[in-house]
Amino acid sequence: IDQLNKCGNEDSIFASNRELKPDVKFHLYVTTTPCGDARRFLIEKSVVNPNQKIHQPNTKTIEMGKRCTKIDEGMGCAPTCDKSKTDDARRGPMTCSDKVLNWNEQGLQSILLLPSLDNKPIKLTSILIGAEYDKGHAERALCCRSKNCKGTKIVHVPVPDAKPSCKTQSPVSLNWVSGVPVRGVGSDENEAEVIDASEGIGKNGPSRLCKRRMLEEILTLGGLPKPNPGERYSDYKTRVAKSNGIEIVQPQPINDSKWFFRPQYDFEI
């Protein structure tokens, strides 16, 4: 959003017409294989040629490729179509594998930001993975299980002395943007925002990365209708999409597993 506000400037990634400059690419780096489909089957090594550039997705069993949710109070996950392992009340958000796949399908930006980008989604050029990597599982989970993905480059970047851990990770998370101060923190433009990722809350309230705060920033760009009193976030997104001729493409079921929507993720604007 800050870059769009500066579009056309030399230090912006956007040209004056709000299109990405030709030399700007987006790359995602993760220190270890994302949870969910990419990680569930790591014990079953894929038989692939690691030097072959084309994708070689491992689709050995029908369980591979299913969409999964995280399970509250733990590091595990369960396919959304499997009602025997957990009930909906214990289901957490969709796994990271599913979220990255969704970014590959629909772009990194929100539907609310598409009108400011002339309805042109921003796609990942590559995904770089550190520890616990398996080429066949990663390519299936992050790209090839969807018919809407077009061969995103997936690269293994070995992490020296990396050791797998089954311990629950810390919920503390940091985010920072060079030159953009954290609202309410002070004048230090390079200070990181420290938040509890399980709640999305920091010392100054809701994180600047949460949906409500992002919506506030997107509205400053102009061009979007004003939310109606009492309107819910999901209804507002639908209204914006229709008024701008944007088709809302819902994630398609994979091997009978659908995208799981948590009602608590919706809110009144």
Side-chain angles (χ1 to χ4, degrees), residues 22 25 60 173 187 216 218 227 248 259:
K25 307 294 181 185
K60 185 177 179 181
S173 174
S187 59
E216 292 173 2
I218 290 173
I248 299 180
W259 190 274

Side-chain angles (χ1 to χ4, degrees), residues 2 25 72 137 191 223 257:
D2 173 69
K25 307 294 181 185
D72 285 346
H137 292 317
E191 183 170 352
S257 58

Side-chain angles (χ1 to χ4, degrees), residues 110-113 115-116 211-212 214-244 246 248 266-269:
S110 162
I111 284 177
L112 297 176
L113 203 54
S116 297
K211 291 180 180 179
R212 188 181 296 276
M214 289 293 285
L215 174 60
E216 292 173 2
E217 296 296 329
I218 290 173
L219 288 173
T220 65
L221 293 172
L224 293 183
K226 184 178 180 180
N228 296 322
E231 188 170 21
R232 299 197 69 78
Y233 180 76
S234 58
D235 295 332
Y236 179 68
K237 285 178 62 176
T238 300
R239 182 159 66 92
V240 168
K242 287 182 177 179
S243 65
N244 287 276
I246 300 170
I248 299 180
D266 199 8
F267 57 91
E268 187 176 295
I269 299 175

